């Protein structure tokens, strides 16, 4: 036993009695550190955390750093450890950068839940509301359904170096290849979907070069918007379908006109609620087993090797749902 | 014709290069030489041309402006809030507000340059960072999608359907581009101020001794760039129908490259509006052609970069002294 462990033990014996009193009197505490504060996505998540905390009897709160900086997340988690919360939730900016501080948290007996970070180490569980395959396939299925299972389509990704977008695109292309052999992608994927303007210009060029094009699969938040505008400009609504994930507030007008066909997303408010539900289970010392049902995730199949719970709880964005989603500020 | 080539060697060479590229593309990509594609090229690059002719005036006056694209974003944000607070507005108010705000940002640059005697690149890089930081700080990165209808509704100048059913047309930004080109041409070629700008850019000390008011030159040059930045920003919103704080970042370098490609000299004293237009179009046509030919997007930036390099490096290369000999032959 070295000096550090002695000190930790001594500290623990000092803190424990008070800690126990505090837990007995209060609800379990949960602190969720997200990528960045103040943006609509995480505002919605905070809403979810607050609502569900009040309902479930958890003392839950969200911490949003001022910029998407891993160092700020590390500091926020250090603060939570110092406050001796029961559960720490995290939506990591950089999985690697958080490993040491999360290890410290777990050593201090704090439970760790991650979201949108399946590769992160030192966690009790990571939960996902969308799998890369499920997300890509959902868009591909909808495209095939809209265009009757045949024709040429173009694929946009945010950048050729964004792993997630490319994983979605891979899954979508593989699905269409396997199930709808009459649908062919044109050429390589275009890395323009992080700019509405670039997406629009590229889509106009592609429409000129391929008059028989039937669809755009655009992964990257600005891609569907830009491609939708191009389709609207060329008055091809109903002939060319544009699918992809996008911000409902931004795409509201386009989707109602039909220039944007639709897409899928996951609900950040629901992710916030799931944080609280999983935190409560862990705080009560319950284990999550295969076949358990957790509200918001459905029946789960936790992977005990990677400590990931991956589910497909996609929310469709279409003319009927867009208003509700946009009103949440998304 | 020969007079034109002699008087405007850069522009003439650009026209030749563009003609060759267009000829090649008309064979390589059947959809290139269609009205739908050519009008789209103009629509898509109107904003870049507006910015380029604005920047040209500062370049002629011997300065450089890195901050105009970010300034355009700032103008878009403030303008959006002004329009919302007055309950909508219209195009006239839009032009006045966007142009006015743009001029203010330009004057801010000019004051720092003139009164504190700081070189233009330092001031505008500083302002680029300060304005962008301020914008992100104040808006927390939020985009505005809920904009007045007049601002986001496309205004077609002409709209037609071609035989194969494709719709095409020219929209308001193209008309504004034409106006910006004309106005800038008039300013730099047909007014005393314009001649003073060239003189000032070519030799600031000489210009000062010749009695040109240097402060006035800076304010006119940066005010004009600001005006065009604001109006370009206004047009950009009409095209993309949203105000996104970081959407225009990085555009300043594309525009700068195009202006220099068009013969504007970074040292000042040289440049023309025709050159600016051609510079923007050369890059645009190349990119458009690569898209139409189905060239891998991986190769895009590389090819565009190579064309800029080739065009700029040949512009300083004297072809066997031909350009120096030409005038003597004529005599």
């Amino acid at each position: 036993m070295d000096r550090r462990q002695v000190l930790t033990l001594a500290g623990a014996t000092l803190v424990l009695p008070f800690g126990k009193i505090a837990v007995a009197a209060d609800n379990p505490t949960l602190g969720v550190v997200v990528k960045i504060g103040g943006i609509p996505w995480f505002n919605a998540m905070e809403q979810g955390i607050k609502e569900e905390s009040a309902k479930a009897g958890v003392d839950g709160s969200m911490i949003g750093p001022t910029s998407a900086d891993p160092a700020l997340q590390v500091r926020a988690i250090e603060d939570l450890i110092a406050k001796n919360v029961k559960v720490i939730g995290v939506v990591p900016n950089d999985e690697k950068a958080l490993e040491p501080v999360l290890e410290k948290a777990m050593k201090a007996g704090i439970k760790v839940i991650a979201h949108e970070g399946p590769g992160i180490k030192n966690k009790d569980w990571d939960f996902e509301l969308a799998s890369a395959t499920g997300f890509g396939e959902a868009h591909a299925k909808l495209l095939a359904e809209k265009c009757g299972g045949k024709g040429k389509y173009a694929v946009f990704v945010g950048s050729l170096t964004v792993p997630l977008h490319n994983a979605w695109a891979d899954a979508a292309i593989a699905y269409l290849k396997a199930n709808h052999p009459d649908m062919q992608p044109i050429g390589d994927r275009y890395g323009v979907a992080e700019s509405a303007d670039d997406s629009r210009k590229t889509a106009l060029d592609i429409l000129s070069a391929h008059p028989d094009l039937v669809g755009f699969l655009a992964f990257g938040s600005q891609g569907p918007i830009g491609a939708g505008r191009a389709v609207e400009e060329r008055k091809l609504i109903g002939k060319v379908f544009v699918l992809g994930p996008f911000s409902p507030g931004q795409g509201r007008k386009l989707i109602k006109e039909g220039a944007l066909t639709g897409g899928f997303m996951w609900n950040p408010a629901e992710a916030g609620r799931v944080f609280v539900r999983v935190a409560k289970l862990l705080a009560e010392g319950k284990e999550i087993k295969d076949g358990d049902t957790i509200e918001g995730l459905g029946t789960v199949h936790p992977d005990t090797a990677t400590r990931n719970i991956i589910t497909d709880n996609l929310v469709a964005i279409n003319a009927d749902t867009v208003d509700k989603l946009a009103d949440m500020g998304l | 014709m020969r007079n034109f080539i002699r008087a405007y060697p850069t522009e003439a060479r650009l026209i030749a290069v563009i003609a060759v590229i267009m000829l090649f593309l008309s064979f390589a990509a059947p959809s290139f030489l269609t009205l739908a594609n050519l009008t789209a090229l103009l629509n898509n690059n109107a904003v870049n041309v507006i910015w380029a002719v604005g920047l040209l005036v500062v370049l002629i006056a011997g300065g450089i402006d890195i901050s105009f694209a970010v300034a355009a974003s700032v103008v878009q944000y403030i303008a959006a809030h002004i329009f919302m607070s007055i309950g909508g507005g219209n195009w006239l108010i839009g032009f006045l507000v966007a142009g006015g705000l743009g001029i203010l940002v330009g004057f801010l640059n000019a004051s720092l340059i003139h009164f504190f005697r700081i070189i233009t690149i330092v001031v505008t890089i500083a302002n680029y960072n300060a304005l962008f930081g301020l914008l992100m700080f104040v808006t927390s990165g939020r985009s505005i999608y809920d904009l007045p209808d007049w601002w986001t509704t496309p205004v077609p100048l002409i709209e037609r359907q071609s035989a194969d059913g494709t719709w095409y047309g020219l929209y308001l930004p193209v008309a504004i581009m034409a106006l910006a080109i004309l106005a800038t041409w008039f300013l730099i070629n047909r007014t005393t101020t314009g001649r003073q700008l060239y003189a000032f850019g070519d030799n600031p000390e000489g210009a000062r001794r010749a009695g040109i008011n240097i402060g006035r030159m800076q304010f006119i040059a940066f005010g004009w760039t600001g005006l065009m930045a604001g109006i370009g920003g206004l047009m950009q919103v009409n095209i993309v129908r949203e105000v996104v704080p970081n959407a225009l970042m990085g555009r300043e370098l594309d525009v700068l490259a195009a202006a220099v490609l068009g013969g504007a000299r970074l040292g000042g004293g040289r440049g023309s509006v025709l050159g600016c237009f051609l510079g923007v179009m050369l890059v645009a046509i190349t990119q458009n052609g690569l898209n139409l030919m189905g060239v891998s997007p991986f190769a895009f930036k590389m090819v565009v970069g190579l064309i800029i390099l080739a065009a700029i490096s040949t512009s300083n290369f004297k072809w066997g002294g031909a350009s120096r000999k030409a005038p003597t032959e004529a005599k």
Side-chain angles (χ1 to χ4, degrees):
Chain A
M1 199 182 263
D2 64 20
R3 213 171 64 191
R4 211 174 182 176
Q5 281 168 309
V6 175
L7 279 175
T8 319
L9 259 184
T13 37
L14 270 178
V15 169
L16 254 174
F18 301 105
K20 261 192 181 147
I21 293 162
V23 169
D26 281 327
N27 297 322
T29 43
L30 160 72
V32 181
V33 179
V34 300
K35 290 185 183 187
I36 184 169
I39 67 166
W41 183 268
F42 290 113
N43 290 343
M45 192 175 284
E46 186 168 27
Q47 189 77 27
I49 292 172
K50 280 188 179 152
E51 277 171 22
E52 187 63 21
S53 292
K55 219 164 35 171
V58 173
D59 184 7
S61 59
M62 192 188 92
I63 299 122
T66 47
S67 71
D69 178 357
L72 293 177
Q73 285 197 309
V74 171
R75 206 176 305 154
I77 295 173
E78 295 268 12
D79 290 348
L80 288 174
I81 298 173
K83 277 203 228 159
N84 202 21
V85 295
K86 192 83 184 156
V87 185
I88 288 176
V90 64
V91 185
N93 281 320
D94 180 343
E95 299 183 348
K96 276 265 178 298
L98 294 182
E99 276 172 16
V101 74
L102 290 181
E103 187 184 358
K104 192 175 157 192
M106 291 187 79
K107 277 198 178 147
I110 297 170
K111 301 284 182 190
V112 175
I113 310 168
H115 172 54
E116 293 185 44
I120 205 164
K121 286 191 186 124
N122 304 322
K123 70 197 167 197
D124 286 281
W125 289 109
D126 173 278
F127 72 90
E128 299 297 327
L129 297 179
S131 68
T133 326
F135 197 73
E137 283 182 0
H139 286 94
K141 267 182 209 166
L142 190 57
L143 174 64
E145 183 193 313
K146 292 284 175 189
C147 68
K150 55 175 184 285
K152 287 189 199 163
Y153 64 97
V155 181
F156 288 180
V157 289
S159 151
L160 298 170
T161 54
V162 177
L164 193 56
H165 293 171
N166 284 288
W168 290 339
D170 288 341
I173 294 169
Y175 174 87
L176 289 174
K177 200 173 168 191
N179 295 289
H180 300 279
D182 289 340
M183 295 190 67
Q184 299 101 22
I186 54 150
D188 277 315
R189 54 196 74 169
Y190 296 80
V192 292
E194 249 143 43
S195 153
D197 206 24
D198 288 349
S199 297
R200 176 179 152 274
K201 286 181 193 170
T202 308
L204 284 173
D205 287 350
I206 293 173
L207 287 171
S208 293
H210 301 273
D212 52 345
L213 195 87
V214 297
F216 287 95
L217 276 176
F219 297 110
S221 62
Q222 303 296 317
I225 305 286
R229 299 234 158 96
V231 166
E232 186 194 23
E233 242 168 82
R234 287 282 161 84
K235 299 192 196 292
L236 290 168
I237 293 174
K239 292 193 188 95
V240 177
F241 303 95
V242 179
L243 288 116
F246 57 92
S247 154
Q250 189 178 11
R252 181 166 13 192
K253 275 184 195 165
L254 283 170
I255 205 163
K256 289 197 170 165
E257 289 163 5
L260 232 173
T261 315
F264 295 90
M265 60 186 288
W266 58 95
N267 184 341
E270 193 61 42
R273 289 192 277 270
V274 171
F275 259 124
V276 177
R277 288 175 196 136
V278 175
K280 195 168 187 214
L281 287 175
L282 294 179
E284 287 167 356
K286 287 179 190 154
E287 207 21 63
I288 298 168
K289 296 180 301 295
D290 193 74
D292 282 358
T293 305
I294 299 173
E295 197 189 340
L297 290 176
T299 307
V300 296
H301 305 286
D303 183 335
T304 46
T306 58
R307 307 298 292 174
N308 287 334
I309 306 173
I310 295 179
T311 64
D312 276 309
N313 285 285
L314 300 179
V315 181
I317 322 172
N318 52 43
D320 302 324
T321 60
V322 72
D323 281 331
K324 207 177 129 234
L325 293 167
D327 289 342
M328 286 166 62
L330 296 174
Chain B
M1 184 67 196
R2 281 182 65 184
N3 283 335
F4 178 81
I5 294 174
R6 210 173 302 135
Y8 302 99
T10 314
E11 289 81 351
R13 203 183 48 248
L14 273 176
I15 291 176
V17 171
I18 290 177
V20 170
I21 292 182
M22 287 180 79
L23 194 69
F24 169 72
L25 285 175
S26 61
F27 290 108
S31 48
F32 175 75
L33 221 55
T34 57
L35 276 170
N37 190 51
L38 296 180
T39 51
L41 262 174
L42 280 176
N43 288 324
N44 291 343
N45 292 287
V47 173
N48 274 0
V49 173
I50 294 173
W51 282 336
V53 294
L55 179 63
L56 174 71
V57 180
V58 161
L59 291 175
I60 286 175
I64 193 168
D65 189 350
I66 305 292
S67 66
F68 65 89
V70 172
S73 283
V74 172
V75 169
Q76 288 178 348
Y77 253 93
I78 302 178
H81 283 289
I82 291 178
F83 299 154
M84 279 185 253
S85 66
I86 61 168
N90 55 43
W91 275 114
L92 180 66
I93 298 177
F95 278 109
L96 291 176
V97 168
L101 288 168
I103 291 176
L104 281 181
V105 181
F107 281 0
L108 173 71
N109 278 329
S111 330
L112 290 168
I113 290 160
H114 183 64
F115 296 118
F116 295 94
R117 313 258 169 229
I118 318 171
I119 54 170
T120 56
I121 191 164
V122 174
V123 167
T124 57
I125 286 180
N127 266 343
Y128 163 90
N129 285 304
L131 289 174
F132 186 67
L134 187 74
L135 187 63
M136 291 306 278
F137 177 69
V138 172
T139 64
S140 330
R142 282 191 195 84
S143 309
I144 307 178
Y145 309 125
D146 205 8
L147 296 161
D149 284 336
W150 62 266
W151 200 4
T152 54
T153 314
V155 184
L157 306 171
I158 45 162
E159 234 178 351
R160 296 254 192 294
Q161 193 169 19
S162 63
D164 63 348
T166 316
W167 277 90
Y168 63 90
L170 288 176
Y171 298 90
L172 182 67
V174 177
I176 301 302
M177 170 186 85
L179 277 179
I181 289 177
L182 271 177
T184 308
W185 174 82
F186 187 81
L187 172 77
I188 61 178
N189 292 323
R190 283 290 176 272
T191 63
T192 315
T193 307
R195 277 188 288 278
Q196 289 177 341
L197 282 168
Y198 274 104
F200 172 63
D202 202 36
N203 183 352
E205 184 54 24
R208 194 182 65 82
R209 289 184 189 203
I212 293 175
N213 181 342
I214 290 183
R216 189 168 159 265
M217 291 296 104
Q218 298 286 22
F219 276 88
I220 288 173
F222 279 91
W224 192 264
T225 305
L227 171 71
M228 291 302 162
I231 288 176
L234 189 79
M235 288 300 112
Q236 180 72 11
V237 172
N238 187 236
I239 296 170
V240 299
R241 288 182 235 166
E242 62 192 18
V243 175
V244 178
N246 56 356
L248 302 179
M249 244 189 127
R251 290 283 283 275
E252 62 279 341
L253 292 183
D254 297 342
V255 172
L256 181 63
V260 174
L261 194 54
R265 192 169 61 185
L266 286 174
R270 213 174 78 186
S272 72
V273 280
L274 178 64
C276 269
F277 177 75
L278 294 171
V280 172
M281 290 325 274
L282 174 60
V283 177
I285 290 171
T286 309
Q287 208 148 3
N288 172 254
L290 291 174
N291 261 339
L292 293 182
M293 283 162 59
V295 172
S296 160
F298 291 96
F300 255 47
K301 296 239 165 203
M302 184 184 75
V303 177
V304 172
L306 284 178
I307 290 208
I308 293 179
L309 258 183
I312 292 186
S313 52
T314 53
S315 75
N316 292 329
F317 186 77
K318 299 276 185 283
W319 298 102
S323 57
R324 259 172 296 167
K325 267 181 205 155
T328 16
E329 270 170 24
K331 279 174 198 167

